[in-house]
Amino acid sequence: MTLAGIGYDSHRLGAGRRLVIGGVEIAHEQGLEGHSDADVLTHAVIDALLGAAGLGDIGEHFPDTDERWRDADSIALLEEVVSMIAAHGLRPLNIDCTVIMEAPKLGPHRLAIRERLAAALGLEIARVNVKASTGERIGFVGRGEGVAALAIASLGDAA
Ligand code: MG
């Protein structure tokens, strides 16, 4: 059996915050605002996994009203979701995702992001694809107000 799920997230860019994308901190004059580390890509991946497993969404499991998740490391949340999925007899097969961001360029960090996500997912790097796009200077992404991410996950039976 193969199951598929989608995920989407966006976070506002602001001063005095870290820019963490897929568990990798990227040097930039602005970072992402949010209750946790605001790792927009990892949040989209989490929602894709939860969606495929029929387990709701990130807000249900890690509410942003809960002090436990303040400044949370989203990769740790992802690892928790992978365990949750395993408890349901499932495992990730592959992830594909797109980060939509005007600046900085994602390219130089893409391999590190794939490695970080692959490790958390228990997948080979070839099964974790990360793509980058921009907002073409239109919309909230294009104006540099925020970053969005999309992800799709497929799950199979745990061996
Ligand atoms: Mg989020």
Side-chain angles (χ1 to χ4, degrees):
M1 180 176 58
T2 307
L3 300 165
I6 64 165
Y8 169 82
D9 195 25
S10 64
H11 280 265
R12 183 186 294 273
L13 280 163
R17 291 279 302 184
R18 298 184 306 143
L19 179 62
V20 182
I21 306 270
V24 173
E25 187 165 344
I26 298 172
H28 192 53
E29 64 267 23
Q30 287 188 307
L32 293 173
E33 296 177 355
H35 185 69
S36 65
D37 62 4
D39 183 341
V40 64
L41 174 57
T42 301
H43 292 179
V45 170
I46 286 172
D47 259 1
L49 292 168
L50 290 172
L55 292 172
D57 65 27
I58 189 170
E60 272 176 55
H61 295 279
F62 310 106
D64 63 7
T65 49
D66 193 326
E67 282 304 309
R68 267 185 303 169
W69 316 124
R70 180 173 295 282
D71 298 321
D73 172 2
S74 296
I75 291 289
L77 305 185
L78 174 58
E79 287 167 348
E80 203 171 318
V81 167
V82 172
S83 300
M84 218 182 282
I85 284 164
H88 285 77
L90 297 165
R91 66 184 172 93
L93 297 177
N94 84 299
I95 297 287
D96 184 28
C97 44
T98 302
V99 179
I100 313 162
M101 181 166 73
E102 210 67 7
K105 289 266 179 245
L106 197 72
H109 311 284
R110 196 196 306 244
L111 182 61
I113 291 169
R114 291 176 71 199
E115 285 172 346
R116 195 81 209 283
L117 290 175
L121 290 157
L123 287 173
E124 291 172 41
I125 191 167
R127 298 285 177 260
V128 179
N129 195 58
V130 176
K131 307 186 297 297
S133 186
T134 72
E136 291 288 333
R137 299 200 298 279
I138 54 173
F140 75 91
V141 172
R143 290 190 297 269
E145 294 168 5
V147 177
L150 300 157
I152 184 164
S154 63
L155 302 181
D157 295 314

